Amino acid sequence: MTVRVRIAPSPTGNLHIGTARTAVFNWLFARHHGGKFILRIEDTDNERSRPEYTENILQGLQWLGLNWDEGPIFQTQRLELYRQAIQTLLDKGLAYPCYASEAELEEMRSAQKAKKQAPRYDNRHRNLTAEEKAAFEAEGRKPVIRFKIDDNREIVWNDLVRGQVTWKGRDLGGDMVIARASQTEAFGQPLYNLAVVVDDIDMQISHVIRGEDHIANTAKQILLYEALAANIPEFAHTPLILNQEGRKLSKRDGVTSIGDFQNLGFVAPAMANYMTLLGWTPPDSTKEIFSLSEAAKEFSLERVNKAGAKFDWAKLDWINSQYIHQLPIEVLVEMLIPYWEQTGYKVDLASDRPWLEELTRLIAPSLTRLADAITESRLLFGETVEYSEDARSQLKNEQVAEVLETVVEAVEKAEELTQADAQQLIKDVTKTHKVKKGLVMRSLRAGLMGEMQGPDLMQSWLLLNKKGLDRIRLRQALTLIS
Ligand code: GLU
């Protein structure tokens, strides 16, 4: 059998982490079996679908490296196919027009609620006579199309993640709507379950791998496959992604779209790596860092967990830092530039590149997310600095003024400092003023950086020196002291 799987996002929002993780599993499964990974955009919901969401979804999948083999296929371009299937079901007597008005349905549901019953459609129009139909038509009612669901049916499938799953027909809410009403045609817009089944048949999907929130849909869809006399694919329902409280990760958790993670400074291979571990355990369970292609070699649905996958920020951060730390500096600097620019740090791309690379080398070991570069390099941008309480009190110590005066004079005389020059200068100053090296270093840190904590002092000084910022800042510190 040729493996053909799909990811079928609805463009009603930006690419969500749950959809992206489902895409990862489908991609891994396809690549493992040398099959095809197909992208289908489920855009039949006119009111909620937006082209910018489609754009965001395509970009997000590309960014993650989840290249697709076919598509994007848009459901709105395939309406005729769904129409034909609906007609087939009507012709076979497996579907029928239902004229119940919204008010009647509401009344039905309230009655059920009063009797403490689960809300369901009571199949009231399943067996209308031709006269009854004509009477409703004469009233001007426009029917939806409902697909018959036998209450006594038991739907059983062998789920590749969850094992045998059984659903009772009577738990599916009564005959289901497969097409909306239309003012001009016999029926209108097809609904989700119908369109999905028609597409999955047409695209010869062999395995439907999707989130466990679709389990009830699968039961309904199996009935549709049977009604359309089509082969039923294998199903695999992947666990939900849970937040720290163990509830389904939702918009309320703040960061949920792939773009959000990107903006926070997670790099694509780390994100893909982490999502692979959200519900899947590699055969060597100690292995945590791998590329998508490496994971594809070992991927199997048997090793996808049934239980929900708790989102673990600490682990994602750790994985991200592993990827960042092994990036070549020339690559990393490119990734940091946008963060500096967005923050308003002055970056002159034409002349600053070597300097930015050195800065990147300095801060790289302390980066967990790319956005950390903003704080980590904050003290190295800008002519003047704000002095913290600690820095101010350091500057007020005895002999600090004379020490810094000597340093700044030497700096002003010199061209550009090398590491050796700077070290020699510190030695000389220590001797001249008969002070401890510690005092010189702390005073330099206070004067140059304005804070007593921060990146390596010597490296920072050399970076500032390259831009002539050290003299400006030391003069500023001296003004503060006097
Ligand atoms: N459009 C559905 C969703 O975004 C996809 C469901 C499916 O994979 O069948 O949830």
Side-chain angles (χ1 to χ4, degrees):
M1 175 185 46
T2 329
V3 164
R4 291 175 60 83
V5 295
R6 82 302 194 274
I7 183 73
S10 306
T12 53
N14 289 329
L15 179 60
H16 186 271
I17 173 109
T19 310
R21 199 277 316 260
T22 304
V24 168
F25 283 9
N26 275 282
W27 187 96
L28 292 171
F29 189 77
R31 295 296 170 257
H32 181 85
H33 292 283
K36 299 279 186 236
F37 173 60
I38 298 155
L39 172 59
R40 180 170 79 220
I41 302 292
E42 305 207 317
D43 57 347
T44 51
D45 184 343
N46 292 334
E47 265 145 50
R48 294 170 60 228
S49 299
R50 299 240 187 301
E52 56 270 31
Y53 292 141
T54 299
E55 197 45 43
N56 178 279
I57 290 166
L58 301 193
Q59 272 174 10
L61 293 174
Q62 266 158 350
W63 180 72
L64 288 166
L66 300 171
N67 58 314
W68 53 91
D69 305 303
E70 293 173 26
I73 294 157
F74 292 87
Q75 284 195 325
T76 43
Q77 291 169 10
R78 301 163 60 81
L79 295 173
E80 181 52 27
L81 215 56
Y82 313 135
R83 214 194 57 77
Q84 282 168 14
I86 294 164
Q87 193 57 56
T88 303
L89 294 174
L90 285 168
D91 294 345
K92 286 188 182 177
L94 298 173
Y96 60 88
C98 164
Y99 296 88
S101 69
E102 205 30 68
E104 286 164 354
L105 292 175
E106 198 39 61
E107 195 185 320
M108 177 192 77
R109 280 186 287 246
S110 325
Q112 288 163 344
K113 208 166 165 194
K115 283 191 253 167
K116 296 208 162 32
Q117 292 167 347
R120 74 195 306 275
Y121 172 66
D122 59 7
N123 303 345
R124 58 179 60 181
H125 286 185
R126 192 191 266 192
N127 298 310
L128 293 181
T129 61
E131 291 74 34
E132 287 168 323
K133 283 184 197 168
F136 283 129
E137 296 277 347
E139 278 177 37
R141 293 199 191 200
K142 301 294 176 196
V144 300
I145 305 298
R146 286 188 185 266
F147 172 69
K148 291 182 188 168
I149 294 181
D150 179 358
D151 272 355
N152 299 320
R153 247 315 282 275
E154 212 174 50
I155 303 126
V156 185
W157 74 91
N158 180 30
D159 195 286
L160 297 181
V161 170
R162 310 175 68 82
Q164 183 169 308
V165 181
T166 308
W167 270 83
K168 293 209 171 66
R170 69 174 58 84
D171 293 334
L172 292 176
D175 293 345
M176 74 163 150
V177 180
I178 52 172
R180 292 216 167 92
S182 160
Q183 288 308 314
T184 50
E185 313 281 328
F187 51 84
Q189 210 184 17
L191 290 190
Y192 164 72
N193 280 305
L194 185 275
V196 164
V197 170
V198 170
D199 279 341
D200 286 343
I201 295 171
D202 184 63
M203 296 172 190
Q204 300 177 311
I205 297 302
S206 62
H207 296 74
V208 173
I209 304 167
R210 62 184 168 199
E212 79 176 38
D213 44 337
H214 283 290
I215 288 187
N217 286 328
T218 296
K220 294 176 184 172
Q221 290 177 15
I222 286 175
L223 296 177
L224 282 169
Y225 280 99
E226 290 175 358
L228 293 166
N231 287 333
I232 300 173
E234 300 280 354
F235 290 97
H237 291 91
T238 58
L240 297 181
I241 303 176
L242 307 175
N243 64 13
Q244 288 311 305
E245 289 77 50
R247 282 193 294 271
K248 184 178 168 182
L249 195 74
S250 73
K251 283 220 173 76
R252 260 164 287 133
D253 292 294
V255 178
T256 49
S257 83
I258 290 301
D260 293 339
F261 287 97
Q262 198 176 352
N263 291 337
L264 284 175
F266 291 101
V267 295
M271 209 57 218
N273 186 156
Y274 177 66
M275 283 193 289
T276 304
L277 290 169
L278 266 179
W280 178 69
T281 317
D284 171 2
S285 62
T286 59
K287 211 167 148 193
E288 297 197 295
I289 300 291
F290 39 72
S291 66
L292 282 175
S293 326
E294 281 164 349
K297 288 196 193 110
E298 306 187 315
F299 187 81
S300 69
L301 292 168
E302 289 92 78
R303 299 193 65 84
V304 173
N305 313 322
K306 277 195 229 116
K310 215 175 223 176
F311 196 89
D312 182 347
W313 282 98
K315 186 157 188 173
L316 172 59
D317 273 334
W318 178 78
I319 291 178
N320 201 56
S321 67
Q322 300 298 304
Y323 279 89
I324 289 186
H325 297 164
Q326 48 98 34
L327 283 173
I329 294 299
E330 320 81 73
V331 176
L332 182 55
V333 70
E334 293 302 326
M335 296 176 149
L336 299 185
I337 287 169
Y339 289 91
W340 288 320
E341 287 185 324
Q342 278 158 28
T343 315
Y345 296 162
K346 233 169 75 199
V347 177
D348 179 353
L349 291 181
S351 59
D352 275 354
R353 195 160 303 253
W355 187 84
L356 292 172
E357 278 188 21
E358 267 181 66
L359 170 59
T360 302
R361 194 165 287 120
L362 172 66
I363 62 170
S366 41
L367 300 182
T368 297
R369 306 176 184 177
L370 297 174
D372 294 343
I374 298 167
T375 42
E376 292 299 325
S377 60
R378 179 175 58 93
L379 304 175
L380 290 145
F381 284 99
E383 300 207 333
T384 53
V385 283
E386 300 264 341
Y387 293 96
S388 71
E389 273 309 305
D390 291 353
R392 280 168 194 271
S393 77
Q394 173 62 30
L395 291 173
K396 300 238 157 79
N397 283 332
E398 236 172 277
Q399 287 189 289
V400 171
E402 53 191 81
V403 163
L404 293 186
E405 183 63 43
T406 307
V407 174
V408 78
E409 276 170 20
V411 167
E412 281 164 350
K413 254 186 249 143
E415 287 261 299
E416 194 184 299
L417 293 183
T418 62
Q419 172 117 6
D421 297 337
Q423 265 152 3
Q424 189 57 47
L425 182 51
I426 290 168
K427 249 189 210 157
D428 295 348
V429 175
T430 317
K431 248 202 210 140
T432 319
H433 296 284
K434 299 196 172 52
V435 289
K436 293 225 166 74
K437 189 179 170 195
L439 176 113
V440 179
M441 298 300 275
R442 282 195 300 280
S443 306
L444 273 172
R445 185 176 280 283
L448 288 169
M449 314 292 278
E451 281 182 18
M452 299 312 290
Q453 248 98 51
D456 179 84
L457 177 62
M458 293 305 278
Q459 296 304 320
S460 302
W461 182 10
L462 295 179
L463 275 167
L464 292 172
N465 177 264
K466 285 212 167 70
K467 294 201 145 195
L469 294 175
D470 53 348
R471 60 199 73 182
I472 300 175
R473 290 184 180 188
L474 290 174
R475 286 280 169 221
Q476 184 196 1
L478 284 166
T479 324
L480 194 80
I481 303 172
S482 59

